[in-house]
Amino acid sequence: MFSALGSLQPRQLLTQVLNFALVLSTAFMLWKGLSVATDSPSPIVVVLSGSMEPAFQRGDLLFLWNRGQDTQIGEIVVYNVRGKDIPIVHRVVRRYGGGDTPLKLLTKGDNNIADDTELYARGQDYLERSKDIIGSVGGKFEVHATLPNQYPFKPPVINWKTKIYHPNVTNDGKGTMCLGFLRDGEWKPSSRMSTALEYVRQLMLDPVPEDAVEQAVANEYNNNKKQFIKTAKLWTKTYAGGPG
């Protein structure tokens, strides 16, 4: 490897160094952007155990959301045991308080017989939502982002591998998104990957039925929002392991 670098001309070597720096800076900005957008110090975590199988497998990457902390029974949350930096992904089975009273949660792995009391810090019988939880998992949606060889002069390609009920994502198994920001005519070399993912997140929160790729879903979104939400929740439970 070092001999190959040594054979490069100074300009070629500088180009390689700049390309590597671009990759690192893009990854850093992506992480910081996700952290700000999700209000979580660790917006992406890795599943370390099989206690939530089959919903989540060891090695799965989960995106967390930590805005709006009125966590309900059945939600899947990620917490760190006090004094240990080990993320645990488990489901909420009981909640206490809420509103004007600090919300307290009891969690349990789907495959575990007992609740998580034995996992908590000594003397701790529950989790404090505002202190111990680093984010909630609405479901595991697998999204692939592919950087073409011409990146950053060509936009990344983003596809949903997990089926999602949304007017702007195709249901043909390809999970193609209708997102103007990622079109060749709209993308600029100065655009950041973190900005692209923020656009994706915003589109998930606020669909654009006028630019739909699934017209039937768009019609339901416009004319029967209650049924749309019901179906979206069912798909999340069926395909992404979300709460029932």
Side-chain angles (χ1 to χ4, degrees):
M1 173 180 169
F2 292 106
S3 60
L5 289 175
S7 64
L8 294 176
Q9 296 295 322
R11 180 173 295 181
Q12 292 175 315
L13 180 60
L14 178 60
T15 300
Q16 293 294 328
V17 171
L18 290 176
N19 286 338
F20 183 66
L22 177 62
V23 172
L24 289 180
S25 63
T26 299
F28 177 75
M29 291 303 299
L30 172 60
W31 181 264
K32 298 301 292 185
L34 282 174
S35 183
V36 171
T38 61
D39 195 29
S40 173
S42 183
I44 303 175
V45 298
V46 179
V47 178
L48 300 177
S49 74
S51 60
M52 288 298 292
E53 292 179 353
F56 304 127
Q57 310 287 331
R58 288 184 179 89
D60 282 348
L61 291 177
L62 303 181
F63 285 84
L64 307 185
W65 182 254
N66 203 37
R67 294 188 180 274
Q69 299 193 3
D70 188 27
T71 305
Q72 301 295 319
I73 293 175
E75 285 191 39
I76 299 172
V77 298
V78 179
Y79 67 91
N80 281 330
V81 177
R82 294 178 187 176
K84 301 178 182 178
D85 192 21
I86 302 175
I88 297 178
V89 184
H90 279 175
R91 194 181 301 275
V92 175
V93 293
R94 289 186 184 178
R95 54 171 275 160
Y96 310 92
D100 295 332
T101 305
L103 182 58
K104 302 173 182 179
L105 307 171
L106 180 66
T107 55
K108 174 183 174 298
D110 287 355
N111 277 342
N112 294 347
I113 297 176
D115 60 45
D116 290 352
T117 307
E118 294 297 322
L119 298 178
Y120 301 158
R122 181 175 297 179
Q124 185 180 10
D125 296 324
Y126 49 78
L127 300 173
E128 294 187 31
R129 179 60 181 84
S130 61
K131 294 181 179 179
D132 299 315
I133 306 298
I134 62 175
S136 297
V137 183
K140 183 188 70 174
F141 289 92
E142 186 177 353
V143 182
H144 283 195
T146 305
L147 300 181
N149 292 333
Q150 299 90 343
Y151 179 84
F153 301 100
K154 290 288 186 179
V157 178
I158 298 179
N159 298 92
W160 291 74
K161 296 304 180 181
T162 304
K163 292 189 69 173
I164 182 173
Y165 194 72
H166 194 284
N168 302 110
V169 181
T170 62
N171 293 332
D172 57 3
K174 297 180 180 179
T176 304
M177 293 189 64
C178 182
L179 186 62
F181 181 75
L182 295 179
R183 293 171 182 155
D184 285 341
E186 299 290 333
W187 178 264
K188 296 179 176 57
S190 59
S191 302
R192 298 179 183 275
M193 188 64 183
S194 58
T195 305
L197 291 180
E198 175 60 20
Y199 268 83
V200 172
R201 186 189 72 83
Q202 196 60 44
L203 188 64
M204 294 301 100
L205 295 175
D206 189 16
V208 183
E210 298 80 13
D211 199 16
V213 291
E214 292 290 342
Q215 194 57 51
V217 179
N219 292 338
E220 185 176 80
Y221 178 84
N222 284 327
N223 303 318
N224 193 346
K225 186 70 68 64
K226 184 176 180 180
Q227 180 59 42
F228 169 81
I229 293 174
K230 181 179 179 180
T231 306
K233 286 183 176 180
L234 177 61
W235 279 43
T236 300
K237 178 182 179 181
T238 303
Y239 300 111

